[in-house]
Amino acid sequence: MSVTETALCIDCEGEQCIGILTRPKAHSDTAVLVIVGGPQYRAGSHRQFVHLARALARAGYPVLRFDYRGMGDAAGPARDFSQVSADVAAALDALQRELPEVRRVALWGLCDGASAALMYWHDTRDPRVTAMCLLNPWVRSEASLARTHVKHYYRQRLMQRDFWLKLLSGKVAFRAAAGLVSNLRLSLQRSASGGQPVLPFQQRMAQGWRSFRGGILLLLSAEDFTAREFTEYAGAEAAWSGLLQLPHVQRHDLAGADHTFSSAALRAAVESLTLQWLQLQGQGSPATAARALP
């Protein structure tokens, strides 16, 4: 199926964002809005979002990818992913103006773009959003990063004979030993609220996830610390209890994948999984999908 691409100027609170709408001649009533992670712009690393948009459009799904304010070609001061809900809303408005027949929108985000998608739902409960595809969501804090390093690096290192030989012979540098002690200390920290997320954006993400009843596709890279940190965090923090096991969550762990799925094979796998999942979302009712948990 042939596709066309159109540049859009998107007004957001008096400042201009830039987007590219990729669409087929005949399309589904479901569209995809790509929320970029920072610091990136609408093309993505190794043109990942360009390839994704064209692949999905060839299958009949319009895709809008855009620069939010302060990023890429968009105007305004730089802002982080926790402050882009107005930008996402403006992009959805632009998408709806261009394609008024679209009834459902899936948010697609990598890294802090995935985090921004969850926070957008938390902030707005926008009924146009009926599904989310989240890749390697970002939940970074000092404690969560330390727990990840302790489990996936230092624990492995402590099982190696050469580490202990170097330690006993004095060949392990003081800085390395101090790093281990520091990470162990941070990994044991919990907030004063009894294990609630350390940073406000993490709580917004968890509450958004818990209240969302549309389909969630969770794609995790097996060789990525951000993905490992996310699963560690979700398993350790009370606010995230049970969220990854909800029945409307479909999870795939991609063996050998790095953070941005940088090989052609991995990119194709992400595109295929996204397309299969979108086709499944079309079987449900948008009104039902958007309802919140009691």
Side-chain angles (χ1 to χ4, degrees), residues 131-248:
M132 295 190 208
C133 180
L134 310 174
L135 294 80
N136 301 331
W138 176 267
V139 290
R140 175 66 48 85
S141 72
E142 285 189 352
S144 66
L145 181 61
R147 284 196 295 271
T148 302
H149 278 294
V150 167
K151 181 172 183 179
H152 295 286
Y153 174 73
Y154 287 111
R155 186 171 68 179
Q156 180 183 27
R157 198 70 184 97
L158 290 171
M159 298 295 290
Q160 296 172 350
R161 182 171 179 268
D162 71 306
F163 172 82
W164 292 103
L165 290 175
K166 289 180 179 179
L167 180 66
L168 294 173
S169 64
K171 293 181 180 179
V172 170
F174 173 77
R175 181 178 295 179
L180 172 59
V181 172
S182 175
N183 276 282
L184 285 169
R185 176 180 55 80
L186 285 169
S187 71
L188 297 173
Q189 285 185 354
R190 289 293 187 272
S191 66
S193 58
Q196 293 299 309
V198 176
L199 298 175
F201 86 85
Q202 297 163 314
Q203 181 124 14
R204 287 166 63 197
M205 286 174 63
Q207 291 177 358
W209 189 306
R210 190 172 296 279
S211 67
F212 188 67
R213 283 297 303 271
I216 294 177
L217 176 63
L218 176 63
L219 301 182
L220 298 173
S221 298
E223 304 302 323
D224 177 45
F225 267 116
T226 298
R228 292 177 181 178
E229 189 175 354
F230 171 73
T231 55
E232 292 295 319
Y233 193 91
E237 299 295 332
W240 287 84
S241 178
L243 293 187
L244 274 60
Q245 291 75 42
L246 290 172
H248 56 281

Side-chain angles (χ1 to χ4, degrees), residues 103-104 121 127 129-130 213-214 284-292:
R103 299 168 55 229
R104 297 178 282 198
W121 175 259
V129 177
T130 59
R213 283 297 303 271
S285 160
T288 301
R291 282 206 300 266

Side-chain angles (χ1 to χ4, degrees), residues 248-262:
H248 56 281
V249 176
Q250 183 182 139
R251 172 177 170 175
H252 295 274
D253 294 70
L254 279 74
D258 58 9
H259 184 64
T260 60
F261 308 90
S262 58

Side-chain angles (χ1 to χ4, degrees), residues 14-25:
E15 294 175 315
Q16 189 177 83
C17 301
I18 301 297
I20 302 293
L21 177 60
T22 306
R23 52 181 154 185
K25 289 182 178 178

